[in-house]
């Protein structure tokens, strides 16, 4: 048999196999204190509950559009097979 690469999908490579881990940005990302940064900014992204007023008679999309069927010559003509 043959050895398969360690990927979840046969056609996709892992990101650590695609980038140069010696690149300055890759080195910097491995040295960043990600847990500390996340802990400091997590409270800024907390979902806040907003109280609202129910307006049952208000339709947010306006009045229902009335469709008027009319024939138009604009656009591509209909292709009818077998007629």
């Amino acid at each position: 048999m043959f050895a398969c690469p360690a990927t979840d999908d046969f056609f996709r490579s892992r990101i650590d196999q695609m980038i140069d881990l010696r690149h300055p940005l890759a080195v910097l990302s491995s040295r960043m204190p990600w847990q500390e940064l996340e802990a400091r900014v997590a409270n800024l992204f907390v979902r806040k509950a907003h109280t609202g007023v129910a307006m049952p008679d208000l339709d947010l999309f306006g009045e229902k559009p009335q469709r008027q069927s009319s024939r138009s010559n604009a656009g591509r003509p209909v292709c009818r097979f077998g007629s």
Side-chain angles (χ1 to χ4, degrees):
M1 282 275 189
F2 56 91
C4 292
T7 60
D8 294 334
D9 189 354
F10 181 74
F11 295 105
R12 294 185 188 169
S13 298
R14 292 173 37 112
I15 190 75
D16 59 353
Q17 294 174 351
M18 293 190 300
I19 62 172
D20 180 15
L21 296 176
R22 296 171 296 175
H23 189 276
L25 291 176
V27 173
L28 178 64
S29 72
S30 67
R31 294 182 182 169
M32 291 292 292
W34 293 112
Q35 286 80 16
E36 182 183 334
L37 290 172
E38 184 178 351
R40 287 183 184 220
V41 298
N43 61 345
L44 300 175
F45 295 99
V46 174
R47 186 174 183 94
K48 297 178 179 84
H50 297 283
T51 58
V53 177
M55 295 185 269
D57 297 334
L58 179 65
D59 184 5
L60 297 177
F61 298 105
E63 297 179 12
K64 297 205 186 307
Q66 302 295 325
R67 293 193 98 182
Q68 296 176 351
S69 60
S70 62
R71 188 169 183 112
S72 173
N73 292 329
R76 186 175 181 176
V78 177
C79 179
R80 299 181 198 266
F81 293 105
S83 46

